[in-house]
């Protein structure tokens, strides 16, 4: 498991042509604690999870995800995107303690 | 040689397009084609209704409230949603989910919301994905936790207010929720 909470990666294909339908893969390191478990010492582990994710492309919001602690530890999500402009693709994850984690990749087109 | 033969053949019974047997055959054939098309249309109409195993029953008050809050009294029809999950999830802490749909993602018509509901989880409404036409297609994958064997619902809502669902039952060996 990755250890730094909030460490995030976004992966897009290497070669993108204008208009391609690409798959965006993402992962963020986060414990996603439900609040139902206890430590070995018997202390409750409070709920601690990513609550929402906002995806923007060229500054425009293209998707927004609302999550609960029912999403597995170190959440992955992948989705498609029509690559119709050269612009940054940014994801912002916010957890239930208010911490904000951000990651970006540049969508750029391969020269033909 | 037999230069007059073709002419004779043309004048033979086969050339008589209004021969009663032939007319009858053509009418019957046309009738069969029409019947075939009608049957096909009927099948297409029927396939938009729930088919195969019945839709899973709403198992508890929590799920009932979630469905009511999201969709009020709109019909939740089965179709257009492919919910791909393992039949058996050995580790309920990490269960892969893929949700796909053939519904359009254009400026006029698109899927604006995808709701993932796990009937017997402590918090059944595991995730909501709000989408825009920029995504080009509905194809989302993630990994979820599951407490025990249960039905999972992927319910899509279009911008025009239609509601479409896909269901799958997942056998959970190891409780992933505590």
């Amino acid at each position: 498991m990755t250890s730094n909470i909030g460490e995030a990666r976004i992966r897009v294909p290497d070669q993108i042509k204008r208009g391609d339908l690409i798959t965006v893969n993402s992962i963020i390191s986060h414990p996603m604690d439900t609040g139902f478990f206890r430590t070995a010492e018997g202390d409750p582990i409070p709920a601690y999870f990513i609550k929402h994710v906002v995806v923007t492309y060229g500054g425009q919001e293209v998707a927004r995800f609302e999550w609960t602690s029912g999403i597995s530890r170190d959440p992955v999500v992948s989705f498609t995107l029509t690559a119709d402009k050269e612009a940054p693709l940014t994801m912002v994850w916010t957890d239930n303690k208010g911490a904000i984690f951000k990651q970006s990749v540049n969508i750029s087109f391969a020269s033909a | 040689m037999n230069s007059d033969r073709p002419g004779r053949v043309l004048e033979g019974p086969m050339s008589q397009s209004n021969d009663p047997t032939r007319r009858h055959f053509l009418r019957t054939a046309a009738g069969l084609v029409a019947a075939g098309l009608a049957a096909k249309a009927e099948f297409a109409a029927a396939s938009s209704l729930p088919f195969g195993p019945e839709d899973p029953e709403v198992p508890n008050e929590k799920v009932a409230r979630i469905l009511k809050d999201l969709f009020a009294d709109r019909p939740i029809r089965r179709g257009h949603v492919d919910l791909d999950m393992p039949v058996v999830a050995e580790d309920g802490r990490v269960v892969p989910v893929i949700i796909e749909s053939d519904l359009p993602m254009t400026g006029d018509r698109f899927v604006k919301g995808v709701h993932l509901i796990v009937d017997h989880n402590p918090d059944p409404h595991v995730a909501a994905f709000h989408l825009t036409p920029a995504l080009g297609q509905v194809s989302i994958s993630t990994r979820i936790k599951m407490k025990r064997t249960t039905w999972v619902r992927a319910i899509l809502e279009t911008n025009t207010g239609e509601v479409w669902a896909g269901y799958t039952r997942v056998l959970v060996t190891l409780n992933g929720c505590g």
Side-chain angles (χ1 to χ4, degrees):
Chain A
M1 293 284 166
T2 38
S3 51
N4 299 327
I5 290 174
E7 198 179 298
R9 273 176 295 158
I10 303 174
R11 205 177 72 228
V12 295
D14 287 336
Q15 300 279 319
I16 302 173
K17 296 193 297 294
R18 183 182 297 276
D20 277 357
L21 188 68
I22 61 169
T23 297
V24 178
N25 293 290
S26 69
I27 182 166
I28 184 164
S29 177
H30 204 281
M32 300 300 280
D33 290 322
T34 58
F36 306 138
F37 285 100
R38 288 174 180 274
T39 62
E41 290 75 40
D43 302 320
I45 302 171
Y48 182 34
F49 58 96
I50 301 282
K51 266 178 82 170
H52 60 254
V53 188
V54 176
V55 185
T56 56
Y57 177 35
Q60 190 191 348
E61 183 175 314
V62 292
R64 172 185 291 264
F65 310 143
E66 286 167 52
W67 287 351
T68 63
S69 60
I71 298 287
S72 302
R73 161 185 275 272
D74 298 334
V76 297
V77 62
S78 69
F79 51 91
T80 53
L81 181 74
T82 305
D84 57 5
K85 53 182 176 266
E86 296 197 293
L89 174 75
T90 303
M91 293 179 70
V92 177
W93 293 260
T94 304
D95 70 23
N96 67 326
K97 293 184 181 174
I100 293 168
F101 312 104
K102 188 172 166 180
Q103 187 58 274
S104 267
V105 288
N106 237 356
I107 304 292
S108 56
F109 301 138
S111 45
Chain B
M1 308 262 264
N2 302 322
S3 58
D4 58 336
R5 269 230 173 129
R8 273 171 57 202
V9 168
L10 280 171
E11 283 161 21
M14 290 300 285
S15 71
Q16 310 259 330
S17 58
N18 51 358
D19 162 70
T21 318
R22 181 178 156 86
R23 272 214 314 268
H24 176 74
F25 169 76
L26 283 174
R27 254 207 321 269
T28 312
L32 284 173
V33 168
L37 287 175
K40 207 171 171 185
E42 217 168 293
F43 176 74
S47 62
S48 68
L49 299 169
F51 63 96
E54 289 300 305
D55 291 352
E57 277 179 27
V58 174
N60 55 49
E61 193 55 38
K62 270 186 192 171
V63 173
R65 186 170 304 119
I66 290 163
L67 294 177
K68 186 139 185 72
D69 287 351
L70 288 172
F71 312 114
D73 297 321
R74 280 179 283 170
I76 300 172
R77 287 177 287 178
R78 189 189 280 234
H80 294 295
V81 184
D82 189 10
L83 171 58
D84 189 7
M85 296 186 70
V87 175
V88 178
E90 301 203 345
D91 183 350
R93 294 174 298 185
V94 185
V95 187
V97 184
I98 303 173
I99 304 166
E100 292 180 328
S101 172
D102 60 357
L103 290 169
M105 286 298 267
T106 61
D108 292 345
R109 294 184 63 207
F110 60 94
V111 173
K112 67 170 187 174
V114 175
H115 299 274
L116 185 63
I117 296 164
V118 180
D119 281 6
H120 287 296
N121 266 18
D123 187 353
H125 194 184
V126 167
F129 303 86
H130 303 285
L131 314 180
T132 66
L135 300 199
Q137 185 179 299
V138 178
S139 178
I140 297 166
S141 65
T142 187
R143 301 185 303 213
I144 63 165
K145 298 173 195 170
M146 292 186 67
K147 188 176 172 71
R148 63 177 172 94
T149 297
T150 179
W151 281 98
V152 180
R153 302 160 194 264
I155 309 183
L156 275 56
E157 185 181 14
T158 69
N159 66 316
T160 56
E162 288 172 31
V163 182
W164 294 97
Y167 308 108
T168 189
R169 194 171 166 81
V170 180
L171 199 95
V172 176
T173 317
L174 175 70
N175 172 4
C177 288

